[in-house]
Amino acid sequence: MKINLLKKRSLRLKRAEMVRRTNKIALIAGSGLFIFSVLFVSGRYIYFQLRGNALTESIRKLEADLAGRSVEILEYARVKQILGVVSQVQSQRFKYKDVLSGLYGLLPSQAGLVSVDFAGENVVTATIRFNTVVGYEDFLARLNTASSTSGFLFKEVAEKSLIKDSAGKYQLNVEFKL
Amino acid sequence: MAAPTEDEQKIFGFVLPPGVDGELVRQSVLTYLALAFLITIFIFFVAPRFADLVIVSNRVASLSTREDVLNGTRVALDTFRTSVDSSSLDAVFLAVPAKYDPGLILLSLRKLASDNKVGLTSYNLAGGKISEDASVLPENQLNRNDVLVEISGPPPSLINFVDSLDKYLPLVSVSNLSISEVSKLLLEGGADLKLEMKLTYYNMPVMVGPDETLSGKLLTEADLTLTRALSLYSRLGSAPSPGAGTVPQGGGKELLFGF
């Protein structure tokens, strides 16, 4: 039986070479990472320190500048506050004129508004006087026509009562929901 | 103890078994010792600096924000005077005065009534502090001052009066509006209608200590537009508003509120 001693020796040499290479790579990679982390931390630290100093100096100058303008700041802040209040109030305003015009637009020529009450939330109660029952019918016809249009202001119109008074005139109490 | 022979190798005081590559072992040991040393240095000296780095970074971010706020404040103040003239500024301050001024409210109402040709039948001002030590005033507190008003006049004028309140200074909001005939007898004679409503005026005391910056309070384009709009509002001493006295276009009918 023959044993190939050269092959065994060659394998040992190869393995040794591989270990050497691994050692070299590990050392270079480890050192590289270490140096990179040290440089990164140091660099960032120095940068932040310099940037911080520059900002502190800039802030000191700005504060000194603004210290002499405190009245202007007060005035400016007040304007902003007031405009906030004005915006809020204006956004919550009820468009009385639009509603009154809408009501007025429903009236035939023989009718007149006796009273209008806006006390309820999104509800307007109105009393309308008609000289004759023809006026009342005309009002209903106008209401039907207007409610089918896209710009009709009211979601619902409810008749509460219709009374004929001693003078022979008709009073209609009607509720408009917005 | 026997001394090592020529074939035996000694590394760091240890005798290696025969056949082992001493140089390779020495190199491997040195490599991993060096790596262990670097890792130790990293763990004890470099890694803790990362936490410091975060702290310094946050500090710089905070300083940068503050600088931006101060810069923004300065720029806002610089452009404030150019974009808002003094008449607009007066209009804004008149919209919500610092103090409750019933005299101003009444004079404004009278002028508005006169402009719209309606009669100010009655008014009822709720009480309010008309004089107070400014140093004890609560800051930024919006006070509401209600005024119950009753006016009479022709229907178109009443509607114009209500409409012109929206474009009048001081700022006012209308609520609880109701319109009714003065009386049947008067109605037959072509008399006026009566309009009752609650008006709410506002006042807000001036801040005692001004803020250092305008952070979160910068005027937007909408604010500037509103400021310009307010300067066009009518007020005491100004000419009657353009819409005052004009009949609203209701339905084109001649009969309104029974007239």
Side-chain angles (χ1 to χ4, degrees), chain A residues 107-164:
Chain A
L107 299 185
S109 56
Q110 302 84 6
L113 278 171
V114 177
S115 68
V116 185
D117 190 3
F118 288 84
E121 191 179 345
N122 291 329
V123 175
V124 183
T125 309
T127 304
I128 305 166
R129 180 185 290 118
F130 303 100
N131 293 330
T132 62
V133 76
V134 177
Y136 169 66
E137 286 170 353
D138 197 8
F139 168 75
L140 292 181
R142 281 169 166 269
L143 187 62
N144 281 331
T145 309
S147 62
S148 59
T149 59
S150 58
F152 190 58
L153 203 61
F154 308 106
K155 287 179 185 165
E156 191 181 304
V157 182
E159 181 179 315
K160 308 303 279 186
S161 64
L162 177 67
I163 300 167
K164 186 179 181 185

Side-chain angles (χ1 to χ4, degrees), chain A residues 12-13 15-35 37-38 40-49 51-56 58-63 65-67 69-90 92-98 100-120 129 131 142 165 167 169 171, chain B residues 19-21 23-24 27-32 34-35 38-39 41-42 46 49-50 52-53 56-57 59-60 63-64 66-67 70-71 73-74 76-78 80-81 89 92-93 95-98 140 142 144 159-160 162-163 165-168 171-181 184 187-188 193 202 204-207 209-214 216-220 223-224 226-227 230 233 248-259:
Chain A
R12 275 182 58 189
L13 286 173
R15 196 178 298 141
E17 186 55 35
M18 197 179 75
V19 170
R20 275 196 196 91
R21 200 181 300 130
T22 306
N23 287 344
K24 207 177 281 179
I25 290 168
L27 189 62
I28 290 169
S31 305
L33 278 173
F34 178 78
I35 290 166
S37 63
V38 168
F40 174 77
V41 170
S42 307
R44 295 289 287 173
Y45 205 84
I46 290 166
Y47 166 75
F48 283 135
Q49 285 294 348
R51 175 96 178 113
N53 291 341
L55 285 171
T56 306
S58 170
I59 287 169
R60 194 186 60 74
K61 283 180 184 169
L62 284 168
E63 282 176 343
D65 178 29
L66 292 176
R69 304 174 75 177
S70 56
V71 176
E72 281 180 75
I73 293 175
L74 174 66
E75 199 171 67
Y76 189 104
R78 183 158 180 80
V79 166
K80 179 69 179 173
Q81 280 180 331
I82 290 174
L83 292 176
V85 172
V86 172
S87 297
Q88 192 185 358
V89 169
Q90 288 188 338
Q92 291 171 350
R93 265 182 180 155
F94 187 84
K95 296 293 178 191
Y96 286 103
K97 187 182 177 183
D98 294 347
L100 287 172
S101 298
L103 277 174
Y104 175 43
L106 294 173
L107 299 185
S109 56
Q110 302 84 6
L113 278 171
V114 177
S115 68
V116 185
D117 190 3
F118 288 84
R129 180 185 290 118
N131 293 330
R142 281 169 166 269
D165 63 16
K169 291 182 178 176
Q171 282 208 8
Chain B
V20 172
D21 188 341
E23 185 57 30
L24 187 63
Q27 192 198 58
S28 298
V29 169
L30 282 175
T31 298
Y32 290 108
L35 285 176
L38 292 179
I39 289 169
I41 296 292
F42 181 83
V46 181
R49 297 283 85 81
F50 279 110
D52 292 345
L53 209 56
V56 178
S57 165
R59 183 175 153 267
V60 168
L63 286 171
S64 182
R66 171 120 181 107
E67 191 202 29
L70 291 170
N71 256 329
T73 301
R74 190 176 65 174
L77 289 177
D78 289 343
F80 182 56
R81 288 293 174 194
L89 208 55
V92 171
F93 291 144
V96 182
N140 312 330
L142 183 67
R144 292 169 173 79
I159 297 174
N160 275 330
V162 175
D163 189 45
L165 278 169
D166 287 352
K167 304 280 183 192
Y168 205 83
L171 180 73
V172 63
S173 58
V174 181
S175 58
N176 297 349
L177 186 144
S178 69
I179 297 174
S180 59
E181 293 172 321
K184 187 73 170 49
L187 181 70
E188 297 296 341
L193 291 188
Y202 303 87
M204 187 164 57
V206 180
M207 286 180 288
D211 284 350
E212 192 185 7
T213 68
L214 296 170
K217 298 173 191 167
L218 296 179
L219 293 176
T220 61
D223 290 330
L224 294 175
L226 181 57
T227 306
L230 283 176
Y233 282 20
Q249 296 303 307
K253 287 165 288 301
E254 294 173 355
L255 193 61
L256 177 63
F257 297 99
F259 291 87

Side-chain angles (χ1 to χ4, degrees), chain B residues 11-142:
Chain B
I11 302 287
F12 308 118
F14 295 96
V15 179
L16 296 177
V20 172
D21 188 341
E23 185 57 30
L24 187 63
V25 171
R26 199 172 70 85
Q27 192 198 58
S28 298
V29 169
L30 282 175
T31 298
Y32 290 108
L33 275 177
L35 285 176
F37 174 74
L38 292 179
I39 289 169
T40 307
I41 296 292
F42 181 83
I43 289 170
F44 287 101
F45 296 100
V46 181
R49 297 283 85 81
F50 279 110
D52 292 345
L53 209 56
V54 172
I55 293 167
V56 178
S57 165
N58 288 341
R59 183 175 153 267
V60 168
S62 153
L63 286 171
S64 182
T65 307
R66 171 120 181 107
E67 191 202 29
D68 288 345
V69 168
L70 291 170
N71 256 329
T73 301
R74 190 176 65 174
V75 171
L77 289 177
D78 289 343
T79 54
F80 182 56
R81 288 293 174 194
T82 55
S83 54
V84 181
D85 58 22
S86 61
S87 69
S88 299
L89 208 55
D90 291 343
V92 171
F93 291 144
L94 181 61
V96 182
K99 285 185 176 179
Y100 172 55
D101 188 347
L104 175 69
I105 291 171
L106 289 181
L107 287 173
S108 300
L109 282 174
R110 281 183 180 177
K111 181 177 184 297
L112 202 56
S114 166
D115 289 349
N116 288 286
K117 300 177 178 59
V118 297
L120 193 57
T121 312
S122 71
Y123 46 80
N124 183 357
L125 276 80
K129 289 176 181 172
I130 52 177
S131 176
E132 198 172 0
D133 182 1
S135 63
V136 296
L137 282 173
E139 291 177 24
N140 312 330
Q141 186 183 309
L142 183 67

